Amino acid sequence: DVTSVTRPASPAAGVDAYDLFDVTLAYKFSDKILARGGVNNALDEEPPIVGGTIGQTQPGTYDILGRYFYLGLQLGF
């Protein structure tokens, strides 16, 4: 919890280490065609509980979406 950093005497408990793993791949077929894709939060880690209340976290700091995939294609003309 940020208050444990900004106010060391705060009664709010901090959180444990939180690691996410993302995978990104790209393949260039030619000078004009590039495909890319990946997965964010590959292990589908749940965000840590902040402030000791189940279901409460800081969505601006921690990933609340879970695992998600993306795919893109870039074409040059």
Side-chain angles (χ1 to χ4, degrees):
D1 187 10
V2 70
T3 56
S4 65
V5 175
T6 57
R7 295 182 321 165
S10 171
V15 297
D16 293 333
Y18 181 71
D19 296 319
L20 295 178
F21 297 96
D22 301 334
V23 178
T24 302
L25 301 170
Y27 184 77
K28 191 172 188 177
F29 291 97
S30 69
D31 289 341
K32 297 188 179 206
I33 302 173
L34 175 71
R36 62 182 175 272
V39 57
N40 286 349
N41 193 0
L43 301 177
D44 200 20
E45 289 288 324
E46 294 288 327
I49 296 169
V50 176
T53 304
I54 294 176
Q56 181 177 347
T57 192
Q58 293 176 339
T61 304
Y62 302 109
D63 174 23
I64 60 170
L65 296 177
R67 178 186 307 130
Y68 61 96
F69 301 88
Y70 60 92
L71 183 63
L73 184 65
Q74 181 177 338
L75 303 173
F77 296 98

